[in-house]
C-alpha cells in the first residue's frame, strides 16, 4: 500500500519568545514492510543546527529559532510504501543493546497495580507461547483501560492510567511496555501514523508498542485497536517511552504560553479504502515544550 502523509504543527505565542530549540523525530524509519518513497521536513523561521541518528536509530533534526518569534510552524510530508508483516519488524538493530529495553522509565515504572496484573498474566500464561501471551496482554489492557481522549496527558504514567481506567494510545502503549518488561520481554514505544477507515484528517499522531520475541525479533501491538500493525501503519520513531520517540520536543525562553494546532492528513495514494475495521487513532501527545 502506498500512503501519502502530511503533518503540520503550529505554535502561536501570546508574547514573542526570544529563542527556541526544537528537536524533530519526524522522518519515518526504513524497516520491514516499510519503504520511504520521498520525505521532507521543514520549519518556518528556524535554522537547522545538526542532523543525526540517536541510540534508537531515529533520524533527529535540531532546529534553532534565534530571533523573536510569535509563531513557530513545523511541517513534514511524503509518501511511504507499506506491506502487512503482521507487526513483525525482525531482529534487533540500532545502537542500543537489547537489555536497554528492559529498563523502567518515569512513564513506564510499575506500581502495585501493574505488578499485580503481570503476576496474574504470568500465572495464567505459563503454558502459552510468547505471541499468545502478548496478545492476551494487549486485550487485557484494552479491557481495563477505556480509550477516552482527554482523560490523560503526556505526563501521565502507565500506573496512573491503569488507576484511572481510561486513557489514549500513549497510555495503552506505556502499560503494555511496563507489563511486558515485568514478564521478561524487552519492549519499546513506537510513534507514527495510522490511516483511518473513516477519515483522512486527524488532529494527533498514533502510538503503539513493540516487544522483542525470541526467534521473531520485534513485534508490534496496538492495544487501542486490539491488533498488530498492518499496512496502514507507518513507523516513525522508537524509544523506551513516548519521551524518547516524541515527534517534536524542545525548549523556549521567555513566556511560552500560547496555543498549539496540529493537522495530520493520511491517505492512500490510489484512493482505495482499506479493508478492515480500525477505530482508534491519535491521542498521543504531539510535543513537549
Amino acid at each position: 500500500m502506498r500512503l501519502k502523509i502530511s503533518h503540520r504543527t503550529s505554535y502561536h505565542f501570546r508574547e514573542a519568545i526570544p529563542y527556541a530549540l526544537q528537536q524533530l523525530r519526524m522522518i519515518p524509519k526504513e524497516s520491514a514492510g516499510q519503504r520511504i518513497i520521498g520525505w521532507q521536513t521543514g520549519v518556518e523561521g528556524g535554522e537547522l543546527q545538526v542532523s543525526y541518528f540517536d541510540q534508537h536509530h531515529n533520524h533527529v533534526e535540531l532546529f534553532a529559532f534565534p530571533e523573536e518569534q510569535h509563531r513557530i510552524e513545523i511541517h513534514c510530508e511524503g509518501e511511504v510504501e507499506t506491506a502487512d508483516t503482521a507487526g513483525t519488524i525482525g531482529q534487533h538493530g540500532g545502537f542500543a543493546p537489547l537489555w536497554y529495553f528492559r529498563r523502567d522509565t518515569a512513564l513506564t515504572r510499575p506500581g502495585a497495580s501493574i505488578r499485580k496484573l503481570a503476576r496474574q498474566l504470568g500465572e495464567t500464561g505459563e503454558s502459552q507461547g510468547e505471541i499468545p501471551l502478548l496478545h492476551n496482554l494487549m486485550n487485557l489492557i484494552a479491557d481495563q483501560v477505556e480509550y477516552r481522549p482527554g482523560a490523560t496527558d503526556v505526563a501521565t504514567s502507565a500506573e496512573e492510567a491503569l488507576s484511572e481506567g481510561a486513557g489514549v494510545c500513549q497510555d495503552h502503549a506505556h502499560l503494555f511496555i511496563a507489563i511486558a518488561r515485568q514478564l521478561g520481554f524487552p519492549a519499546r514505544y513506537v510513534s507514527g501514523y495510522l490511516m483511518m477507515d473513516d477519515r483522512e484528517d486527524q488532529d494527533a499522531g498514533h502510538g503503539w508498542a513493540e516487544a522483542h520475541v525470541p526467534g521473531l525479533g520485534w513485534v508490534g501491538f496496538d492495544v487501542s485497536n486490539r491488533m498488530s500493525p498492518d499496512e496502514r501503519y507507518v513507523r516513525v520513531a522508537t524509544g523506551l517511552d513516548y519521551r524518547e520517540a516524541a515527534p517534536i520536543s524542545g525548549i523556549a525562553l521567555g513566556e511560552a504560553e500560547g496555543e498549539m494546532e496540529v493537522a495530520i492528513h493520511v491517505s492512500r495514494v490510489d484512493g482505495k479504502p482499506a479493508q478492515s475495521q480500525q477505530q482508534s487513532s491519535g491521542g498521543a501527545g504531539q510535543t513537549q515544550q
Side-chain angles (χ1 to χ4, degrees):
M1 182 182 293
R2 188 164 175 170
L3 300 177
K4 183 176 183 179
I5 300 164
S6 66
H7 180 172
R8 187 174 298 271
T9 300
S10 302
Y11 302 93
H12 303 270
F13 302 105
R14 295 188 181 92
E15 302 290 337
I17 56 173
Y19 185 81
L21 280 173
Q22 295 289 300
Q23 185 173 255
L24 277 57
R25 290 180 173 86
M26 301 181 74
I27 300 176
K29 293 174 177 282
E30 288 274 358
S31 59
Q34 182 168 298
R35 182 174 69 89
I36 313 307
I37 298 171
W39 197 268
Q40 60 182 6
T41 61
V43 302
E44 293 185 10
E47 300 174 358
L48 181 64
Q49 303 298 297
V50 65
S51 176
Y52 64 94
F53 289 92
D54 67 11
Q55 72 270 30
H56 300 289
H57 211 257
N58 301 319
H59 194 160
V60 183
E61 297 175 298
L62 182 65
F63 283 87
F65 299 80
E67 299 179 359
E68 288 194 347
Q69 303 280 342
H70 277 93
R71 180 173 177 271
I72 291 176
E73 185 166 293
I74 300 168
H75 54 86
C76 65
E77 62 181 2
E79 293 187 7
V80 181
E81 187 175 79
T82 61
D84 187 357
T85 63
T88 303
I89 305 304
Q91 296 306 311
H92 180 62
F95 306 116
L98 198 55
W99 56 258
Y100 179 72
F101 298 92
R102 299 179 188 269
R103 294 180 56 190
D104 297 328
T105 68
L107 293 176
T108 63
R109 186 168 295 118
S113 298
I114 285 177
R115 290 192 180 95
K116 181 179 179 181
L117 273 184
R119 285 195 301 270
Q120 291 174 349
L121 196 63
E123 291 169 357
T124 59
E126 288 181 353
S127 61
Q128 303 175 16
E130 289 93 349
I131 292 297
L133 176 63
L134 291 168
H135 276 284
N136 285 344
L137 169 58
M138 176 175 64
N139 289 319
L140 178 64
I141 295 170
D143 288 340
Q144 299 213 12
V145 179
E146 176 190 358
Y147 182 87
R148 189 193 306 163
T152 56
D153 58 37
V154 293
T156 302
S157 70
E159 185 75 16
E160 291 169 336
L162 182 57
S163 298
E164 180 69 23
V168 293
C169 59
Q170 175 180 305
D171 306 296
H172 284 156
H174 283 157
L175 267 168
F176 185 97
I177 290 166
I179 298 175
R181 288 173 181 162
Q182 288 287 295
L183 295 171
F185 295 93
R188 65 188 180 189
Y189 188 97
V190 185
S191 66
Y193 302 105
L194 167 61
M195 187 187 76
M196 302 289 287
D197 293 339
D198 58 349
R199 62 187 182 274
E200 294 181 348
D201 294 321
Q202 306 171 27
D203 58 8
H206 196 43
W208 59 97
E210 290 177 350
H212 192 273
V213 179
L216 285 177
W218 290 104
V219 181
F221 297 87
D222 180 5
V223 176
S224 299
N225 292 295
R226 297 177 183 258
M227 64 177 292
S228 287
D230 58 18
E231 71 272 15
R232 293 166 299 159
Y233 289 71
V234 173
R235 301 171 72 250
V236 177
T238 56
L240 289 181
D241 59 19
Y242 166 74
R243 289 174 178 166
E244 289 194 343
I248 307 171
S249 59
I251 58 172
L253 302 182
E255 297 294 331
E257 294 184 359
E259 298 178 352
M260 180 184 71
E261 296 178 0
V262 178
I264 296 174
H265 184 93
V266 184
S267 61
R268 189 169 179 175
V269 173
D270 59 17
K272 296 179 180 178
Q275 300 299 314
S276 53
Q277 296 296 320
Q278 200 74 0
Q279 296 179 349
S280 303
S281 175
Q286 290 298 291
T287 65
Q288 299 170 320
Q289 286 293 334

